[in-house]
Amino acid sequence: QVQLVESGGGLVQAGGSLRLSCAASRSIVRGAVMGWYRQVPGKQRELVATCTTDNITNYKDSVKGRFTISRDNAKNTVYLQMNSLEPEDTAVYYCNAHIIIGTRAYDYWGQGTQVTVSS
């Protein structure tokens, strides 16, 4: 059983910064596409950023230049550095690990961490 535990959320003023962390219970980060998603009530969960095993990153357009995803395989941890936060970034942020073994794909999710940006 794989567990992902997010931390680092909280309340911050617009223009501020937060760093989210996602720690995996097992050594899976190295072999997984790691991602951060977010969700606000009444809306679908949306992709924020992903990082492949080759450290190729991809970002939602609205966070490009402000957010940075990174991974530390030795610590089984992935991070999301969020700068210049805007009220529109307010959401519950979820960590995801996407793993392909043979012909099967597995997705693991954390419990989420709340990020609230005040104007």
Side-chain angles (χ1 to χ4, degrees), residues 14-15 85-91 116-119:
L85 282 161
E86 303 169 353
E88 292 74 24
D89 296 318
T90 296
T116 303
V117 184
S118 63
S119 56

Side-chain angles (χ1 to χ4, degrees):
Q1 184 72 13
V2 175
Q3 288 186 319
L4 301 175
V5 179
E6 300 102 334
S7 61
L11 173 64
V12 65
Q13 288 189 330
S17 298
L18 285 173
R19 188 174 85 151
L20 305 184
S21 298
C22 171
S25 60
R26 289 170 52 190
S27 183
I28 65 167
V29 171
R30 185 183 305 276
V33 175
M34 301 301 299
W36 287 95
Y37 292 71
R38 66 188 183 189
Q39 188 171 23
V40 297
K43 292 190 177 181
Q44 286 189 328
R45 192 171 296 186
E46 64 178 11
L47 173 69
V48 176
T50 58
C51 182
T52 70
T53 55
D54 295 326
N55 283 317
I56 297 171
T57 57
N58 181 55
Y59 297 93
K60 177 181 173 61
D61 284 346
S62 64
V63 308
K64 285 180 180 177
R66 300 189 296 121
F67 290 11
T68 303
I69 186 172
S70 62
R71 59 201 295 155
D72 186 332
N73 293 334
K75 294 183 178 179
N76 296 315
T77 301
V78 64
Y79 305 97
L80 185 68
Q81 178 67 44
M82 304 186 295
N83 299 327
S84 301
L85 282 161
E86 303 169 353
E88 292 74 24
D89 296 318
T90 296
V92 178
Y93 283 71
Y94 296 91
C95 177
N96 170 263
H98 181 76
I99 304 168
I100 296 176
I101 301 176
T103 59
R104 299 190 66 177
Y106 300 84
D107 278 283
Y108 300 97
W109 294 91
Q111 82 289 349
T113 185
Q114 176 71 48
V115 171
T116 303
V117 184
S118 63
S119 56

